[in-house]
């Protein structure tokens, strides 16, 4: 039987079995509370446990949204412990010796485990012991992390840690769909079918992306599959995503796997604040999608018409959408999200401009479909991980790539005297002193940098400056009263918009 360590000595196996049963009968919480949302379970196995199963009880409190188990044990002398779990109602999964950690939630679960609600009451960690030699004692330790509903989840990421370390620009697609909503592609025989998830991830890998979000309409059903596929696509960061589709507009949410309200205008979500409350409680980020699209029979609910009581709660705006680009041929056409974004910037809202392909078919080559990764959102982050990319989006050192040459990028720094600020940062303007603008544009030999300014109650002003083979383009700006923001865009020699930078915010 299992033996519990006590002051360097072990209880007799029969005594420990009796105490374990007694604790269960008395409704023991199971394990030691190592923190407000954490239970620690410890024990020792001996040869008496050889080819047996040991069930270790612990209690899951009410309103738990996610449960994550991390398990370790002494593997010396070819000792093997397999792992599984059951809830008060029955079996929830078995990974044997293949995993040392797993997670379960209503929205998703690690492969080999069953997603679903987490019932309150006594759960049991199942330890299978296919081998432990005579005379051997092997200690084990399990940590059970319990994330309550409405709290940021430690297990929402499909990959813990970093896919790649080191700071740099990371390229991704933040708007795609698979057969878990309305994505479709051709089957092997040529029939139109709901497109498998791996096809979108494979397209992202082929496009050289660093990260991708599958954003199915209101649904979380794709998350267990993504969690499994992330292990294979270990050079590509897969972000949890969702497209909140309402009659008043669409919005993407990143970093959240639990259920979210989407019935905007109903008692479940009377206004946008109800949706934002749920997103922020989970530590997620919300981006308004394709706000320049029509809203009506041509595209039901596509354009954004919902009131925004507090724009500081909006994390981002999709300023370029692949479907719109394909239909109009330009990010500045009638379906552009730029005017909507700039109107928020003029209000003093610090909202990051991003993009997404809105791809519904990874095989599509034309028509209204844009390929995965076109357009791309490029984020400067200290590493390629979910927390770093989300924080990078919040900070706003981000640019949108509409089809620039490979390796091209844009960054902006503004100096007022000895004080400097970069994309996403604020700069205090001192009187009427001129500002020194520096756009860094590696990977571009020609074309035009366009310094765009706004916020003074007038249409944005665009000041062009040729690149002429230099990695930096500079200009001087005398700030007009009321000026709130400056950004740097890049155009091709024939005037086609290639890169859209995010603003430096000015404070008077």
């Amino acid at each position: 039987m299992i033996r519990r360590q006590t002051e360097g000595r072990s209880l007799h196996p029969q005594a420990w079995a009796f105490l374990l049963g007694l604790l269960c009968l008395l409704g023991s919480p199971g394990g030691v509370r190592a923190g407000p949302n954490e239970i620690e379970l410890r024990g020792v196995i001996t040869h008496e446990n050889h080819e047996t199963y040991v069930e270790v009880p612990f209690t899951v409190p009410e309103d738990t949204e996610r449960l994550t188990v991390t398990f370790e044990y002494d593997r010396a002398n070819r000792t093997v412990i397999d792992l599984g779990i059951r809830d008060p109602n029955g079996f929830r999964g078995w990974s044997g010796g293949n995993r040392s950690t797993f997670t379960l939630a209503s929205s998703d679960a690690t492969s080999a485990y069953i997603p679903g609600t987490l019932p309150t009451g006594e759960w049991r960690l199942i330890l299978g012991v296919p081998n432990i030699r005579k005379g051997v004692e092997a200690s084990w330790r399990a940590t059970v992390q319990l994330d309550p509903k409405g709290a940021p989840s430690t297990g929402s990421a499909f990959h813990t840690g970093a896919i790649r370390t080191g700071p740099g620009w990371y390229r991704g697609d933040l708007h795609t769909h698979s057969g878990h909503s309305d994505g479709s592609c051709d089957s092997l025989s040529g029939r139109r079918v709901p497109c498998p998830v791996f096809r979108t991830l494979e397209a992202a890998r082929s496009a050289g992306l660093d990260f991708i979000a599958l954003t199915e309409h209101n649904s979380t059903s794709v998350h267990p599959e993504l969690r499994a596929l992330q292990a294979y696509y270990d050079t590509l960061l897969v972000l949890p995503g969702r497209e909140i589709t309402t009659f008043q507009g669409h919005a993407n949410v990143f970093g959240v796997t639990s259920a979210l309200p989407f019935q905007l205008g109903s008692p479940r979500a009377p206004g946008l604040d109800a949706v934002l409350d749920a997103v922020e409680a989970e530590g997620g980020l919300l981006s308004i999608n394709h706000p320049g699209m029509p809203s009506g029979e041509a595209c039901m609910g596509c354009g954004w018409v919902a009131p925004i009581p507090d724009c500081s709660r909006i994390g981002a705006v999709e300023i370029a959408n692949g479907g719109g680009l394909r239909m109009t041929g330009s990010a500045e056409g009638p379906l552009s999200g730029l005017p909507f974004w700039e109107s928020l910037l003029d209000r003093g809202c610090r909202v990051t401009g991003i993009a997404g392909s809105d791809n519904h078919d990874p095989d599509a080559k034309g028509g209204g479909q844009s390929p995965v990764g076109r357009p791309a959102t490029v984020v400067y982050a200290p590493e390629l991980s979910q927390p770093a990319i989300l924080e990078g989006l919040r900070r706003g050192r981000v640019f949108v790539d509409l089809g620039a040459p490979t390796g091209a990028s844009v960054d902006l720094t503004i100096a007022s005297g000895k004080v400097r600020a970069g994309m996403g940062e604020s700069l205090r303007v001192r009187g009427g002193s001129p500002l020194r603008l520096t756009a860094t544009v590696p990977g571009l030999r020609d074309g035009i940098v366009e310094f765009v300014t706004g916020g003074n109650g007038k249409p944005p002003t665009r000041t062009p400056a040729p690149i002429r083979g230099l990695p930096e383009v500079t200009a001087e700006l005398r700030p007009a009263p009321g000026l709130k923001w400056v950004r740097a865009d890049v155009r091709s020699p024939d005037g086609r918009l290639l890169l859209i930078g995010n603003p430096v915010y000015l404070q008077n």
Side-chain angles (χ1 to χ4, degrees), residues 9-68:
R9 299 171 60 188
S10 297
L11 293 174
H12 188 278
Q14 292 180 345
W16 169 232
F18 171 78
L19 288 175
L20 180 60
L22 181 61
L23 287 172
C24 293
L25 290 173
L26 293 175
S28 165
V32 177
R33 290 266 173 192
N37 301 316
E38 189 175 286
I39 296 173
E40 187 177 276
L41 305 168
R42 288 179 179 269
V44 176
I45 63 167
T46 71
H47 181 68
E48 294 181 43
N49 301 115
H50 180 71
E51 294 186 347
T52 68
Y53 297 92
V54 178
E55 296 192 4
V56 185
F58 64 94
T59 296
V60 172
E62 190 175 2
D63 292 330
T64 298
E65 174 61 28
R66 181 177 295 276
L67 178 154
T68 302

Side-chain angles (χ1 to χ4, degrees), residues 60 86-90 92 118-124:
V60 172
R86 65 174 64 249
D87 68 19
N89 301 320
R92 290 295 292 267
L118 307 184
T120 304
E122 184 182 275
W123 287 56
R124 288 177 175 261

Side-chain angles (χ1 to χ4, degrees), residues 167-234:
W169 292 103
Y170 293 105
R171 176 180 299 269
D173 192 336
L174 291 171
H175 193 163
T176 64
H177 297 272
S178 76
H180 279 266
S181 57
D182 53 351
S184 61
C185 59
D186 289 343
S187 70
L188 294 178
S189 67
R191 293 186 303 110
R192 204 67 182 164
V193 296
C195 205
V197 174
F198 81 91
R199 298 299 303 281
T200 297
L201 298 189
E202 188 61 24
R205 185 194 65 81
S206 298
L209 298 185
D210 300 304
F211 63 89
I212 190 170
L214 271 81
T215 51
E216 311 296 4
H217 297 282
N218 301 325
S219 173
T220 63
S221 65
V222 71
H223 291 155
E225 195 169 351
L226 290 175
R227 189 176 293 280
L229 286 168
Q230 175 69 96
Y232 177 79
Y233 289 94
D234 56 359

Side-chain angles (χ1 to χ4, degrees), residues 37-171:
N37 301 316
E38 189 175 286
I39 296 173
E40 187 177 276
L41 305 168
R42 288 179 179 269
V44 176
I45 63 167
T46 71
H47 181 68
E48 294 181 43
N49 301 115
H50 180 71
E51 294 186 347
T52 68
Y53 297 92
V54 178
E55 296 192 4
V56 185
F58 64 94
T59 296
V60 172
E62 190 175 2
D63 292 330
T64 298
E65 174 61 28
R66 181 177 295 276
L67 178 154
T68 302
V69 173
T70 303
F71 184 74
E72 56 187 19
Y73 68 95
D74 183 359
R75 299 170 182 263
N77 300 299
R78 301 193 69 175
T79 298
V80 178
I81 302 178
D82 293 340
L83 201 59
I85 199 167
R86 65 174 64 249
D87 68 19
N89 301 320
F91 184 67
R92 290 295 292 267
W94 179 261
S95 53
N98 293 329
R99 300 184 184 279
S100 60
T101 184
F102 62 85
T103 186
L104 295 92
S106 58
S107 60
D108 65 290
T110 301
S111 296
Y113 292 87
I114 303 170
T117 57
L118 307 184
T120 304
E122 184 182 275
W123 287 56
R124 288 177 175 261
L125 188 66
I126 309 171
L127 308 182
V129 188
N131 191 65
I132 183 167
R133 293 175 175 177
K134 291 182 179 181
V136 172
E137 291 188 350
S139 60
W140 60 267
R141 175 177 176 269
T143 301
V144 184
Q145 177 70 36
L146 303 166
D147 294 329
K149 292 178 181 178
S153 174
T154 58
S156 65
F158 301 142
H159 184 280
T160 57
I163 294 282
R164 198 180 315 150
T165 58
W169 292 103
Y170 293 105
R171 176 180 299 269

Side-chain angles (χ1 to χ4, degrees), residues 491-504:
R491 294 183 182 273
S492 64
D494 62 2
R496 182 169 52 90
L497 194 57
L498 299 177
L499 302 172
I500 305 172
N502 266 274
V504 174

